[in-house]
Amino acid sequence: MPLPPAGFENELVYRDHVSRLLAAKNTVFSISGRIPLDPSQLVLFFRTKSGITHSLDFPIDVDYNTPPALDVLIAACRPHQTSDLDSYADHESLFYPPNLPLTTSLEIANHPILAAVRTTLFPNLPEGHYLTAVRDRLEVISSGGRMGPQSRTLRNDGRVATLSVTLPVRFRGGCMIVRSESYGTEEKYYGRGGKTGDMEWTAFLTDCDYEVETVEKGCRVSILYGVYLKTFGTGVGEPLINPSDGLFDLLAPVLNMSRGRKIGFFLCHDYGVNPAEVLAESIVPHLKGGDSILYHALKLYKLNPELHWTAGGYIWAVDQTVESLSEDVSVPGPTMYSPMPAYPLTMGTPAMRGAFGLPDADQVVNLRHRIEASGALPLPEADVTVLTDGGTLGKERVPFVSGASLEKLCVNTLIVVFVP
């Protein structure tokens, strides 16, 4: 396999790209996706102060035909209190008064949006907790208008996140910017401009501010929902999420500098499975948080990521479980031979002896032989370069006997992908 570009400077740049990518993977505060819904099946109903009820059909392209109901809707809206009167925008951003009735034929509960929000933004939510969505308000930005920063303090009603659904009204520009105070960073969601097809949504945590850049053409209409946390008692397919453009920007240089190599990323969450009983690939439908986002980002690059078990500098094949650990590792096996030297791993991977956590050197050697007998290969022999910055790693555990005690081998999970 070709080695990475020679030179100390290239190595530093490579490490920097890896660190930034992993930092973004582990600091998820917003996510976007699509709703598989025919826009012609969507209807918006609203009542003005005069008491007259109107209906608005979709999709809409104001450059060709502006429905009278849309003009009535815009006329009934009010400007945001946070509108920037000193800006160069031609029009203010508007919102529909919350005291006037408004509803749509779109039912959030009929689409697994909240499940996707839970998996990515709340990966450690305990069993018995679930998310509900309550309609907040409708926002309108006409051509030439923009929305100034909407502070998180305006949404202090106990919600844990905010969900924004863009209605199928054509527009150009109007990029949505989400900023996180906790992580000190931002994500930009350019969207599809209300084009015919699947509808788009964006969700972000409650400690985030958001704003919308200038709408250059058309009209941007969106409905916001408050996402609340509730409690109750004590197959892979196409993903419902789209990794952010910022994550793709961080992933691209890492993949470009890894061409011709097989690279691995540690999962950072625990999944409560026994590696001696199930394949690592069985975790894929249950991936959560940054693990899910990175996995699907690699899939969107048309790559073929695989999950492998790894422990102490060894890696098992994708179709292998962690086996042959049922015997007492303090007793030498029948096929003992001189111990292999511990392979030093690059990018901060721990040495094999320390990873097993056994005080007796002979037991470490015996355990290593058991692992080799199960079909595991040292990472260098498997040609896998592990990319890690020493952060938190997800751990699964395999019990084994050592002397008179029952120990547990900590096994990590790697997302392994070959970059052509």
Side-chain angles (χ1 to χ4, degrees):
M1 296 290 179
L3 296 175
F8 181 69
E9 182 177 349
N10 283 335
E11 180 66 19
L12 290 180
V13 172
Y14 186 46
R15 288 174 177 268
D16 179 64
H17 285 314
V18 170
S19 295
R20 293 172 62 189
L21 170 64
L22 295 177
K25 168 182 174 292
N26 296 324
T27 56
V28 180
F29 59 87
S30 64
I31 193 65
S32 69
R34 297 183 182 181
I35 303 175
L37 177 69
D38 183 356
S40 62
Q41 299 179 0
L42 180 66
V43 182
L44 174 70
F45 301 95
F46 63 96
R47 183 185 301 167
T48 60
K49 289 195 296 185
S50 63
I52 300 176
T53 300
H54 302 262
S55 65
L56 186 61
D57 296 323
F58 298 91
I60 299 173
D61 190 338
V62 297
D63 290 332
Y64 290 94
N65 182 27
T66 301
L70 180 59
D71 291 330
V72 175
L73 177 70
I74 295 175
C77 290
R78 302 174 184 171
H80 280 98
Q81 296 178 350
T82 56
S83 295
D84 188 357
L85 300 179
D86 297 327
S87 71
Y88 294 98
D90 297 331
H91 302 283
E92 297 175 307
S93 60
L94 308 173
F95 71 96
Y96 194 76
N99 62 308
L100 296 179
L102 179 144
T103 188
T104 71
S105 57
L106 172 66
E107 290 292 341
I108 296 295
N110 291 340
H111 305 277
I113 300 175
L114 292 181
V117 171
R118 173 175 180 149
T119 301
T120 52
L121 299 185
F122 304 95
N124 298 317
L125 201 62
E127 292 293 332
H129 294 68
Y130 60 96
L131 302 176
T132 62
V134 178
R135 189 174 60 254
D136 184 4
R137 62 184 179 185
L138 179 139
E139 296 180 332
V140 179
I141 308 176
S142 300
S143 178
R146 64 179 298 274
M147 182 187 297
Q150 302 296 300
S151 173
R152 61 191 179 282
T153 58
L154 299 175
R155 302 179 296 279
N156 55 356
D157 55 356
R159 69 181 64 185
V160 295
T162 298
L163 172 66
S164 174
V165 178
T166 304
L167 300 184
V169 182
R170 291 292 298 272
F171 66 94
R172 187 172 64 198
C175 170
M176 185 176 190
I177 304 174
V178 180
R179 296 188 179 89
S180 170
E181 179 190 31
S182 300
Y183 299 125
T185 186
E186 68 179 30
E187 296 282 5
K188 291 187 175 182
Y189 296 95
Y190 294 93
R192 301 174 59 249
K195 295 179 181 178
T196 301
D198 295 346
M199 294 171 55
E200 293 180 301
W201 58 269
T202 303
F204 49 90
L205 295 176
T206 187
D207 66 340
C208 295
D209 301 338
Y210 74 97
E211 65 178 284
V212 178
E213 294 181 341
T214 302
V215 174
E216 302 170 2
K217 186 179 180 181
C219 183
R220 189 183 196 277
V221 183
S222 57
I223 296 182
L224 267 62
Y225 296 82
V227 179
Y228 301 88
L229 179 63
K230 304 292 183 180
T231 60
F232 180 77
T234 46
V236 182
E238 289 296 322
L240 296 172
I241 60 173
N242 293 326
S244 68
D245 291 338
L247 184 77
F248 281 123
D249 291 341
L250 295 171
L251 180 59
V254 173
L255 295 180
N256 286 333
M257 299 183 73
S258 302
R259 290 190 179 276
R261 294 195 296 168
K262 193 184 294 183
I263 57 176
F265 300 89
F266 282 112
L267 299 189
C268 61
H269 293 284
D270 298 347
Y271 292 92
V273 299
N274 186 347
E277 299 176 352
V278 299
L279 298 175
E281 277 285 285
S282 67
I283 296 178
V284 172
H286 308 288
L287 289 176
K288 52 190 178 183
D291 298 339
S292 174
I293 290 178
L294 179 60
Y295 181 89
H296 290 305
L298 294 170
K299 296 282 284 188
L300 290 174
Y301 267 106
K302 306 302 181 183
L303 299 176
N304 186 29
E306 297 177 339
L307 265 58
H308 294 249
W309 298 125
T310 179
Y314 286 86
I315 185 170
W316 281 261
V318 67
D319 58 350
Q320 287 183 322
T321 57
V322 180
E323 300 174 333
S324 300
L325 299 179
S326 58
E327 300 177 9
D328 188 350
V329 299
S330 64
V331 180
T335 59
M336 297 299 296
Y337 46 86
S338 58
M340 296 175 55
Y343 286 85
L345 302 180
T346 59
M347 308 293 286
T349 303
M352 287 186 289
R353 183 179 298 272
F356 292 140
L358 293 175
D360 190 311
D362 290 336
Q363 294 182 21
V364 173
V365 173
N366 294 344
L367 179 56
R368 186 180 300 142
H369 292 159
R370 307 287 188 196
I371 288 176
E372 291 172 357
S374 73
L377 291 175
L379 282 166
E381 288 187 19
D383 267 332
V384 176
T385 301
V386 179
L387 307 182
T388 178
D389 60 356
T392 302
L393 305 182
K395 297 178 182 178
E396 312 301 336
R397 292 161 178 82
V398 176
F400 65 92
V401 177
S402 176
S405 60
L406 181 65
E407 304 287 350
K408 288 187 178 181
L409 173 67
C410 288
V411 179
N412 307 117
T413 314
L414 278 177
I415 300 177
V416 178
V417 61
F418 175 73
V419 185

